[in-house]
PDB file of all heavy atoms in Angstrom:
ATOM      1  N   GLY A  89     154.656 118.641 134.030  1.00 52.00           N
ATOM      2  CA  GLY A  89     155.311 118.720 132.695  1.00 52.00           C
ATOM      3  C   GLY A  89     155.433 117.346 132.086  1.00 52.00           C
ATOM      4  O   GLY A  89     155.256 117.156 130.887  1.00 52.00           O
ATOM      5  N   GLN A  90     155.858 116.361 132.970  1.00 55.00           N
ATOM      6  CA  GLN A  90     155.976 115.004 132.442  1.00 55.00           C
ATOM      7  C   GLN A  90     154.625 114.482 131.897  1.00 55.00           C
ATOM      8  O   GLN A  90     154.612 113.874 130.852  1.00 55.00           O
ATOM      9  CB  GLN A  90     156.437 114.081 133.595  1.00 55.00           C
ATOM     10  CG  GLN A  90     157.946 113.933 133.698  1.00 55.00           C
ATOM     11  CD  GLN A  90     158.312 112.839 134.611  1.00 55.00           C
ATOM     12  OE1 GLN A  90     157.635 112.570 135.612  1.00 55.00           O
ATOM     13  NE2 GLN A  90     159.365 112.112 134.305  1.00 55.00           N
ATOM     14  N   ARG A  91     153.548 114.728 132.696  1.00 61.00           N
ATOM     15  CA  ARG A  91     152.231 114.265 132.240  1.00 61.00           C
ATOM     16  C   ARG A  91     151.812 114.895 130.913  1.00 61.00           C
ATOM     17  O   ARG A  91     151.241 114.222 130.048  1.00 61.00           O
ATOM     18  CB  ARG A  91     151.191 114.544 133.345  1.00 61.00           C
ATOM     19  CG  ARG A  91     151.265 113.584 134.502  1.00 61.00           C
ATOM     20  CD  ARG A  91     150.002 113.608 135.339  1.00 61.00           C
ATOM     21  NE  ARG A  91     149.767 114.911 135.936  1.00 61.00           N
ATOM     22  CZ  ARG A  91     150.247 115.268 137.122  1.00 61.00           C
ATOM     23  NH1 ARG A  91     150.956 114.407 137.832  1.00 61.00           N
ATOM     24  NH2 ARG A  91     149.998 116.458 137.619  1.00 61.00           N
ATOM     25  N   ILE A  92     152.091 116.178 130.753  1.00 53.00           N
ATOM     26  CA  ILE A  92     151.747 116.885 129.496  1.00 53.00           C
ATOM     27  C   ILE A  92     152.478 116.250 128.338  1.00 53.00           C
ATOM     28  O   ILE A  92     151.909 115.963 127.267  1.00 53.00           O
ATOM     29  CB  ILE A  92     152.045 118.388 129.613  1.00 53.00           C
ATOM     30  CG1 ILE A  92     151.042 119.055 130.577  1.00 53.00           C
ATOM     31  CG2 ILE A  92     151.952 119.046 128.230  1.00 53.00           C
ATOM     32  CD1 ILE A  92     151.396 120.462 130.947  1.00 53.00           C
ATOM     33  N   ILE A  93     153.742 116.031 128.538  1.00 53.00           N
ATOM     34  CA  ILE A  93     154.600 115.446 127.454  1.00 53.00           C
ATOM     35  C   ILE A  93     154.100 114.045 127.141  1.00 53.00           C
ATOM     36  O   ILE A  93     153.985 113.642 125.944  1.00 53.00           O
ATOM     37  CB  ILE A  93     156.071 115.396 127.877  1.00 53.00           C
ATOM     38  CG1 ILE A  93     156.587 116.845 127.920  1.00 53.00           C
ATOM     39  CG2 ILE A  93     156.867 114.583 126.905  1.00 53.00           C
ATOM     40  CD1 ILE A  93     157.962 116.974 128.586  1.00 53.00           C
ATOM     41  N   LEU A  94     153.793 113.231 128.171  1.00 51.00           N
ATOM     42  CA  LEU A  94     153.335 111.862 127.948  1.00 51.00           C
ATOM     43  C   LEU A  94     151.967 111.823 127.257  1.00 51.00           C
ATOM     44  O   LEU A  94     151.741 110.977 126.354  1.00 51.00           O
ATOM     45  CB  LEU A  94     153.255 111.108 129.297  1.00 51.00           C
ATOM     46  CG  LEU A  94     154.597 110.738 129.952  1.00 51.00           C
ATOM     47  CD1 LEU A  94     154.389 110.194 131.359  1.00 51.00           C
ATOM     48  CD2 LEU A  94     155.333 109.722 129.096  1.00 51.00           C
ATOM     49  N   ASN A  95     151.074 112.735 127.645  1.00 59.00           N
ATOM     50  CA  ASN A  95     149.775 112.814 126.965  1.00 59.00           C
ATOM     51  C   ASN A  95     149.888 113.164 125.487  1.00 59.00           C
ATOM     52  O   ASN A  95     149.222 112.602 124.633  1.00 59.00           O
ATOM     53  CB  ASN A  95     148.881 113.832 127.641  1.00 59.00           C
ATOM     54  CG  ASN A  95     148.344 113.392 128.990  1.00 59.00           C
ATOM     55  OD1 ASN A  95     148.296 112.199 129.245  1.00 59.00           O
ATOM     56  ND2 ASN A  95     147.984 114.311 129.851  1.00 59.00           N
ATOM     57  N   LYS A  96     150.823 114.080 125.175  1.00 58.00           N
ATOM     58  CA  LYS A  96     151.046 114.472 123.796  1.00 58.00           C
ATOM     59  C   LYS A  96     151.577 113.261 123.001  1.00 58.00           C
ATOM     60  O   LYS A  96     151.142 112.994 121.841  1.00 58.00           O
ATOM     61  CB  LYS A  96     152.063 115.618 123.698  1.00 58.00           C
ATOM     62  CG  LYS A  96     151.448 116.971 123.901  1.00 58.00           C
ATOM     63  CD  LYS A  96     152.457 118.064 123.585  1.00 58.00           C
ATOM     64  CE  LYS A  96     151.816 119.416 123.627  1.00 58.00           C
ATOM     65  NZ  LYS A  96     152.769 120.501 123.296  1.00 58.00           N
ATOM     66  N   MET A  97     152.514 112.574 123.622  1.00 59.00           N
ATOM     67  CA  MET A  97     153.090 111.403 122.954  1.00 59.00           C
ATOM     68  C   MET A  97     152.071 110.326 122.682  1.00 59.00           C
ATOM     69  O   MET A  97     152.024 109.663 121.670  1.00 59.00           O
ATOM     70  CB  MET A  97     154.264 110.849 123.782  1.00 59.00           C
ATOM     71  CG  MET A  97     155.474 111.749 123.801  1.00 59.00           C
ATOM     72  SD  MET A  97     156.765 111.133 124.917  1.00 59.00           S
ATOM     73  CE  MET A  97     157.246 109.602 124.077  1.00 59.00           C
ATOM     74  N   GLU A  98     151.132 110.146 123.674  1.00 60.00           N
ATOM     75  CA  GLU A  98     150.081 109.127 123.556  1.00 60.00           C
ATOM     76  C   GLU A  98     149.120 109.472 122.434  1.00 60.00           C
ATOM     77  O   GLU A  98     148.690 108.649 121.630  1.00 60.00           O
ATOM     78  CB  GLU A  98     149.345 108.993 124.870  1.00 60.00           C
ATOM     79  CG  GLU A  98     148.343 107.852 124.948  1.00 60.00           C
ATOM     80  CD  GLU A  98     148.972 106.476 124.767  1.00 60.00           C
ATOM     81  OE1 GLU A  98     150.139 106.325 125.142  1.00 60.00           O
ATOM     82  OE2 GLU A  98     148.306 105.604 124.200  1.00 60.00           O
ATOM     83  N   LYS A  99     148.732 110.802 122.330  1.00 59.00           N
ATOM     84  CA  LYS A  99     147.847 111.226 121.266  1.00 59.00           C
ATOM     85  C   LYS A  99     148.479 111.053 119.900  1.00 59.00           C
ATOM     86  O   LYS A  99     147.841 110.627 118.945  1.00 59.00           O
ATOM     87  CB  LYS A  99     147.500 112.721 121.469  1.00 59.00           C
ATOM     88  CG  LYS A  99     146.506 112.944 122.598  1.00 59.00           C
ATOM     89  CD  LYS A  99     146.193 114.411 122.743  1.00 59.00           C
ATOM     90  CE  LYS A  99     145.186 114.662 123.864  1.00 59.00           C
ATOM     91  NZ  LYS A  99     144.911 116.108 124.059  1.00 59.00           N
ATOM     92  N   GLN A 100     149.769 111.411 119.794  1.00 62.00           N
ATOM     93  CA  GLN A 100     150.489 111.260 118.544  1.00 62.00           C
ATOM     94  C   GLN A 100     150.523 109.760 118.144  1.00 62.00           C
ATOM     95  O   GLN A 100     150.411 109.407 116.998  1.00 62.00           O
ATOM     96  CB  GLN A 100     151.880 111.838 118.651  1.00 62.00           C
ATOM     97  CG  GLN A 100     151.909 113.358 118.673  1.00 62.00           C
ATOM     98  CD  GLN A 100     153.283 113.911 118.920  1.00 62.00           C
ATOM     99  OE1 GLN A 100     154.216 113.146 119.298  1.00 62.00           O
ATOM    100  NE2 GLN A 100     153.448 115.224 118.754  1.00 62.00           N
ATOM    101  N   LYS A 101     150.753 108.918 119.169  1.00 57.00           N
ATOM    102  CA  LYS A 101     150.816 107.480 118.929  1.00 57.00           C
ATOM    103  C   LYS A 101     149.486 106.949 118.391  1.00 57.00           C
ATOM    104  O   LYS A 101     149.479 106.167 117.423  1.00 57.00           O
ATOM    105  CB  LYS A 101     151.223 106.771 120.224  1.00 57.00           C
ATOM    106  CG  LYS A 101     151.450 105.280 120.094  1.00 57.00           C
ATOM    107  CD  LYS A 101     151.864 104.692 121.432  1.00 57.00           C
ATOM    108  CE  LYS A 101     152.076 103.188 121.322  1.00 57.00           C
ATOM    109  NZ  LYS A 101     152.402 102.593 122.608  1.00 57.00           N
ATOM    110  N   ARG A 102     148.375 107.396 119.034  1.00 65.00           N
ATOM    111  CA  ARG A 102     147.043 106.926 118.589  1.00 65.00           C
ATOM    112  C   ARG A 102     146.732 107.431 117.161  1.00 65.00           C
ATOM    113  O   ARG A 102     146.178 106.692 116.373  1.00 65.00           O
ATOM    114  CB  ARG A 102     145.968 107.438 119.555  1.00 65.00           C
ATOM    115  CG  ARG A 102     145.921 106.661 120.867  1.00 65.00           C
ATOM    116  CD  ARG A 102     144.586 106.886 121.614  1.00 65.00           C
ATOM    117  NE  ARG A 102     144.395 108.265 121.961  1.00 65.00           N
ATOM    118  CZ  ARG A 102     144.723 108.757 123.170  1.00 65.00           C
ATOM    119  NH1 ARG A 102     145.264 107.962 124.065  1.00 65.00           N
ATOM    120  NH2 ARG A 102     144.517 110.035 123.429  1.00 65.00           N
ATOM    121  N   SER A 103     147.078 108.700 116.897  1.00 60.00           N
ATOM    122  CA  SER A 103     146.857 109.245 115.584  1.00 60.00           C
ATOM    123  C   SER A 103     147.651 108.490 114.506  1.00 60.00           C
ATOM    124  O   SER A 103     147.186 108.195 113.421  1.00 60.00           O
ATOM    125  CB  SER A 103     147.253 110.741 115.527  1.00 60.00           C
ATOM    126  OG  SER A 103     147.160 111.249 114.244  1.00 60.00           O
ATOM    127  N   TYR A 104     148.896 108.159 114.871  1.00 59.00           N
ATOM    128  CA  TYR A 104     149.759 107.393 113.963  1.00 59.00           C
ATOM    129  C   TYR A 104     149.155 106.022 113.675  1.00 59.00           C
ATOM    130  O   TYR A 104     149.139 105.569 112.522  1.00 59.00           O
ATOM    131  CB  TYR A 104     151.123 107.275 114.584  1.00 59.00           C
ATOM    132  CG  TYR A 104     152.095 106.401 113.830  1.00 59.00           C
ATOM    133  CD1 TYR A 104     152.671 106.866 112.645  1.00 59.00           C
ATOM    134  CD2 TYR A 104     152.429 105.117 114.277  1.00 59.00           C
ATOM    135  CE1 TYR A 104     153.564 106.048 111.920  1.00 59.00           C
ATOM    136  CE2 TYR A 104     153.315 104.314 113.561  1.00 59.00           C
ATOM    137  CZ  TYR A 104     153.871 104.788 112.426  1.00 59.00           C
ATOM    138  OH  TYR A 104     154.728 103.998 111.697  1.00 59.00           O
ATOM    139  N   HIS A 105     148.674 105.363 114.730  1.00 59.00           N
ATOM    140  CA  HIS A 105     148.058 104.046 114.546  1.00 59.00           C
ATOM    141  C   HIS A 105     146.821 104.102 113.659  1.00 59.00           C
ATOM    142  O   HIS A 105     146.591 103.209 112.833  1.00 59.00           O
ATOM    143  CB  HIS A 105     147.687 103.457 115.912  1.00 59.00           C
ATOM    144  CG  HIS A 105     148.879 102.965 116.674  1.00 59.00           C
ATOM    145  ND1 HIS A 105     148.842 102.684 118.000  1.00 59.00           N
ATOM    146  CD2 HIS A 105     150.144 102.689 116.292  1.00 59.00           C
ATOM    147  CE1 HIS A 105     150.041 102.242 118.398  1.00 59.00           C
ATOM    148  NE2 HIS A 105     150.846 102.283 117.341  1.00 59.00           N
TER     149      HIS A 105
END
Side-chain angles (χ1 to χ4, degrees):
Q90 271 192 324
R91 282 198 297 271
I92 290 169
I93 292 169
L94 288 172
N95 285 339
K96 277 188 174 182
M97 290 175 67
E98 187 62 30
K99 285 180 181 178
Q100 288 174 348
K101 185 178 177 183
R102 284 199 297 266
S103 175
Y104 174 74
H105 284 165

